[in-house]
Amino acid sequence: MDSYISNFNLLVVLILLVFVAIGSADNAPRRKLGDKKYKGPCMAINAIDKCWRCDPNWADDRQKMADCAMGFGTNAMGGKSGPYYIVTDPSDDDVVDPKPGTLRFGVIQKGPLWITFAKNMKIKLSRELIVSSNKTIDGRGVNVHIANGAGIKIQCASHVIISNLRIHNIVPTPGGLLRESEDHIGLRSGDEGDAISIFNSRDIWIDHISMSRATDGLIDAVADSTNITISNCHFTDHEKVMLFGADDHNEVDKEMKITLAYNHFGKRLDQRMPRCRFGFFHLVNNDYTHWERYAIGGSSGATIISQGNRFIAVDKLLVKEVTYREKSTSSVEEWMKWTWISDGDDMENGATFTPSGDQHLLDKIDHLNLIKPEPSSLVGKLTKFSGALACKIGCKC
């Protein structure tokens, strides 16, 4: 009997330990997959999500979301004030004369357009998808995958919003004739396999996207692109995550301004979260839970302000340094002049951030449209719902 009671008491202790572990999930050093299967009441924790997410009638006025962007992409209006276009056909068989009802047909139309999806669908793009100005691709309310084909390209465009998609397994596709707009067909070279590529474009907002496994980058912004916010996204399973500025000799990117806010850089990522050149980059309240080479890198005088982020170095890896400067293009004397600031960041498991340059810059840039950081202790909650949301029309998102 004494042995039976002892075993029973041990079982009770084990059960209690399990409940304690579950209760402290938000503060655990490593994010759990269970966070993505949240079944409780709607919780809009960060400033962007609070703008629209927990309104049960969000689908009655989808275009309200256009007023919710913050950071450098705050002016991105997408297809606001334009008509709705519903994607009913997931095919992408004709890139020169796309069929009405397809996603490709919608993104090349003139004028503002708010694009939604009639149902859950998987879209395999046979060639890169060229998105024209004043477009919103809004995947809320359904489960939309862009996968196993080409990615999305925003080229020479402005005011584009992309929301609530799952983009993964993006591969290079060959060149050839491709309709780039309603009235122009171009002969294009093959693409490199970027999930989202931003080229010579401005006023862009990418929000609540789940991304993984592209042949090249997950998000690249180059060639005088600026005024971009990337928020509430979840990144996994990739080597070179983000490239901002493609060339150390292309000084046009000195005007680049990009905000990264409330994103989760998760499992099996290697480097470039982001890798920056020339411009100004504000990284605020992001959760970095995996990097193998480095988390944040740069060259060519990039200015990087890291505020209220959480950096958790991987236990099994020797690399604990968050930052990386491109040594082949700069000397120590040169890169020490670049302004890289860590302000209020949480460094865990030995993570370190090497600052440089003007450490008082934050006192001089009140005129810039920077998101005010929350304490880094809240990052687990602020990014809890990063990635594509399981929204249902008629319910809080």
Side-chain angles (χ1 to χ4, degrees):
M1 178 65 72
D2 289 342
S3 175
Y4 174 82
I5 294 174
S6 177
N7 290 338
F8 177 78
N9 289 337
L10 178 61
L11 179 61
V12 171
V13 170
L14 289 173
I15 292 172
L16 289 174
L17 287 173
V18 168
F19 276 105
V20 169
I22 293 173
S24 60
D26 280 339
N27 298 316
R30 191 63 52 191
R31 294 281 289 265
K32 304 298 183 184
L33 183 62
D35 288 350
K36 298 299 175 184
K37 299 184 182 299
Y38 177 78
K39 300 296 184 182
C42 183
M43 294 173 59
I45 306 299
N46 67 58
I48 292 176
D49 276 358
K50 285 179 180 178
C51 180
W52 71 271
R53 267 199 50 215
C54 289
D55 178 1
N57 301 312
W58 62 268
D60 294 341
D61 184 12
R62 285 177 175 268
Q63 295 189 13
K64 176 185 175 182
M65 190 184 74
D67 300 322
C68 298
M70 300 178 69
F72 289 126
T74 191
N75 292 323
M77 292 291 101
K80 185 179 180 182
S81 77
Y84 286 91
Y85 170 90
I86 302 175
V87 178
T88 57
D89 183 348
S91 70
D92 189 42
D93 301 326
D94 192 338
V95 299
V96 174
D97 189 18
K99 293 184 294 185
T102 63
L103 177 58
R104 189 174 299 276
F105 183 88
V107 298
I108 62 171
Q109 300 304 303
K110 294 178 181 178
L113 206 62
W114 199 279
I115 300 171
T116 65
F117 299 82
K119 58 185 177 182
N120 298 342
M121 59 181 66
K122 296 180 180 179
I123 299 175
K124 180 179 179 180
L125 296 171
S126 55
R127 296 280 300 284
E128 59 186 344
L129 186 79
I130 309 296
V131 181
S132 62
S133 296
N134 303 110
K135 299 295 180 293
T136 297
I137 303 177
D138 179 0
R140 293 176 296 169
V142 288
N143 187 340
V144 177
H145 292 254
I146 308 292
N148 303 308
I152 297 171
K153 186 153 196 170
I154 305 168
Q155 176 176 299
C156 302
S158 61
H159 296 288
V160 173
I161 298 173
I162 302 176
S163 175
N164 218 70
L165 303 177
R166 292 164 173 84
I167 306 176
H168 56 91
N169 298 95
I170 302 303
V171 298
T173 54
L177 292 176
L178 178 67
R179 184 169 292 279
E180 300 172 337
S181 65
E182 273 191 279
D183 49 15
H184 183 262
I185 297 172
L187 180 61
R188 303 181 65 88
S189 60
D191 67 271
E192 297 177 334
D194 292 318
I196 296 179
S197 176
I198 305 169
F199 182 94
N200 189 217
S201 297
R202 59 184 55 233
D203 298 313
I204 310 297
W205 181 27
I206 299 170
D207 186 60
H208 278 294
I209 307 294
S210 295
M211 306 187 78
S212 63
R213 301 185 186 92
T215 302
D216 199 12
L218 290 181
I219 301 178
D220 286 1
V222 300
D224 197 26
S225 294
T226 190
N227 297 344
I228 299 167
T229 293
I230 300 167
S231 58
N232 291 307
C233 294
H234 185 213
F235 305 94
T236 66
D237 298 282
H238 197 72
E239 181 186 356
K240 299 176 180 179
V241 182
M242 294 180 180
L243 177 65
F244 298 154
D247 191 318
D248 285 305
H249 305 290
N250 193 350
E251 296 190 7
V252 69
D253 285 326
K254 283 185 176 181
E255 301 304 315
M256 182 178 287
K257 297 181 180 66
I258 298 180
T259 299
L260 295 182
Y262 315 129
N263 302 290
H264 178 203
F265 296 93
K267 296 178 179 179
R268 296 173 293 277
L269 299 178
D270 185 18
Q271 59 178 301
R272 297 189 180 183
M273 299 168 249
R275 198 271 196 229
C276 308
R277 289 180 171 95
F278 289 114
F280 188 105
F281 307 93
H282 188 213
L283 285 50
V284 56
N285 290 141
N286 301 286
D287 202 8
Y288 292 83
T289 60
H290 194 104
W291 68 89
E292 295 186 5
R293 300 191 205 186
Y294 65 86
I296 301 167
S299 61
S300 302
T303 298
I304 299 174
I305 309 296
S306 173
Q307 290 189 289
N309 299 292
R310 178 168 69 172
F311 298 97
I312 306 176
V314 178
D315 290 327
K316 297 179 181 179
L317 296 178
L318 296 176
V319 179
K320 305 293 185 179
E321 174 64 42
V322 169
T323 58
Y324 170 77
R325 276 84 169 178
E326 181 58 61
K327 303 300 190 296
S328 64
T329 60
S330 62
S331 63
V332 174
E333 291 77 12
E334 181 182 351
W335 68 251
M336 283 300 293
K337 299 175 184 178
W338 307 344
T339 297
W340 292 23
I341 295 173
S342 173
D343 175 50
D345 290 328
D346 179 13
M347 302 288 176
E348 299 188 16
N349 286 2
T352 58
F353 185 113
T354 300
S356 59
D358 182 1
Q359 295 299 293
H360 300 288
L361 181 63
L362 284 169
D363 298 329
K364 309 170 186 177
I365 54 176
D366 289 343
H367 62 288
L368 293 181
N369 196 11
L370 303 185
I371 295 176
K372 182 179 179 181
E374 299 282 352
S376 58
S377 59
L378 299 179
V379 162
K381 294 180 178 179
L382 293 168
T383 64
K384 185 178 180 67
F385 301 101
S386 61
L389 297 162
C391 293
K392 294 183 179 180
I393 294 174
C395 301
K396 296 179 180 180
C397 194

